[in-house]
Amino acid sequence: QNHYIKIQGFTLIELSIVLVIIGLIVSGIIAGQALVDGARVTRAITQINSIKTSINAFRTKFGGLPGDLDNATDFWPGETVNGDGDGKYLEDSSTYDQFVDREGGYMWQHLSLAGMLPGGFQAPTVGTFSYTYGINSPEIFPGKAVLGANKDGDVFANRYDSTGNYLQIAGWTTPGSASTVRCATTPTLDAKLLDQKMDDGIPSSGKLLGYQTSSCTTSSPGNCTTGGNADWRLPNGADIDYDVGVDEGRCRITFILD
């Protein structure tokens, strides 16, 4: 006598329910990641706006830019150094305006000494430029840093039609070295979200600019923009966009202050 075991399969209705549940789980994961990304960018925007507000408040109260203030030692004797008071960062690389150990580095300490930016930032070590993110300057994204404000007339006159002071989110390869490079460190999607929320969403125009120049990695990541890794050489307002379709794309982000 033959015995058969009847195996009950899923009905179409049951399969449909399972697929719906799987779809809901996947959608929840995607939505959750989007919320995490959005919260991270929102925190970054809050920090950036706080920094810009602090710089303006400092200039109003003391009559000069933090780091560039030429009588800082009158307010904080023995704690800091003076700038040259010319209203510029990185204009004369032979004296005060070297971003590696002068005004761009001391701006964070001046803001902290004035009580206008939380963090208690310390002065960099002049010459060797001992610069630790979170100690000598703020961090915006984890592992990404706001560098000292700079004024680079050549690059910005050509690329952005601007010679104003600016802040960057990037990272150093070898702090203190003459050959140090400011690396692209911010994920392209984060850069695009920042630009959309704070400016015009276009990497080559407005007050917020995105580009790559150097990834500072052994294996180069995807490009920051559709202009390629030489996008910083493109003219102001070039027809490019953030290249969010490329895995592991990285950007240097610049905020023009004036």
Side-chain angles (χ1 to χ4, degrees):
Q1 184 177 358
N2 294 326
H3 297 278
Y4 297 95
I5 298 175
K6 184 178 180 181
I7 300 176
Q8 181 68 40
F10 290 106
T11 66
L12 288 176
I13 293 176
E14 290 170 333
L15 286 173
S16 297
I17 293 173
V18 170
L19 290 174
V20 168
I21 292 172
I22 292 173
L24 290 173
I25 292 173
V26 171
S27 297
I29 293 173
I30 294 174
Q33 185 59 51
L35 287 173
V36 171
D37 293 341
R40 183 174 63 251
V41 170
T42 297
R43 285 194 299 271
I45 291 172
T46 300
Q47 288 177 279
I48 293 163
N49 286 334
S50 176
I51 290 169
K52 292 164 70 175
T53 298
S54 298
I55 291 172
N56 290 331
F58 187 100
R59 179 158 41 186
T60 298
K61 180 174 181 178
F62 296 99
L65 289 167
D68 181 58
L69 191 66
D70 59 5
N71 63 338
T73 55
D74 291 345
F75 298 100
W76 308 289
E79 296 185 75
T80 190
V81 300
N82 294 327
D84 63 2
D86 66 354
K88 304 172 184 177
Y89 295 102
L90 189 58
E91 182 67 14
D92 179 359
S93 62
S94 66
T95 56
Y96 288 95
D97 296 328
Q98 296 181 58
F99 62 87
V100 292
D101 60 10
R102 284 293 185 175
E103 296 183 343
Y106 280 102
M107 68 174 291
W108 307 111
Q109 187 206 28
H110 283 189
L111 287 171
S112 290
L113 289 173
M116 293 182 174
L117 190 67
F121 299 113
Q122 302 172 17
T125 301
V126 176
T128 59
F129 193 61
S130 176
Y131 205 104
T132 303
Y133 302 122
I135 294 177
N136 303 108
S137 76
E139 286 184 307
I140 293 298
F141 298 108
K144 298 8 177 234
V146 173
L147 304 180
N150 306 275
K151 183 183 177 69
D152 189 336
D154 291 336
V155 172
F156 270 63
N158 296 332
R159 163 67 158 88
Y160 303 119
D161 230 6
S162 170
T163 54
N165 292 310
Y166 60 88
L167 297 170
Q168 281 196 4
I169 297 180
W172 295 107
T173 47
T174 311
S177 168
S179 61
T180 190
V181 176
R182 282 167 282 175
C183 311
T185 54
T186 301
T188 302
L189 180 58
D190 286 348
K192 182 178 179 69
L193 291 173
L194 272 176
D195 205 334
Q196 288 177 333
K197 291 177 180 293
M198 298 189 71
D199 198 37
D200 59 5
I202 301 172
S204 61
S205 68
K207 292 289 188 180
L208 188 155
L209 307 158
Y211 55 106
Q212 187 176 29
T213 70
S214 177
S215 63
C216 301
T217 60
T218 53
S219 58
S220 295
N223 297 321
C224 169
T225 75
T226 54
N229 62 8
D231 50 11
W232 66 279
R233 297 181 181 274
L234 296 174
N236 184 3
D239 186 17
I240 58 176
D241 195 2
Y242 289 97
D243 199 350
V244 294
V246 178
D247 292 338
E248 299 302 322
R250 292 291 184 270
C251 297
R252 269 167 61 177
I253 301 174
T254 293
F255 304 88
I256 297 176
L257 296 176
D258 52 30

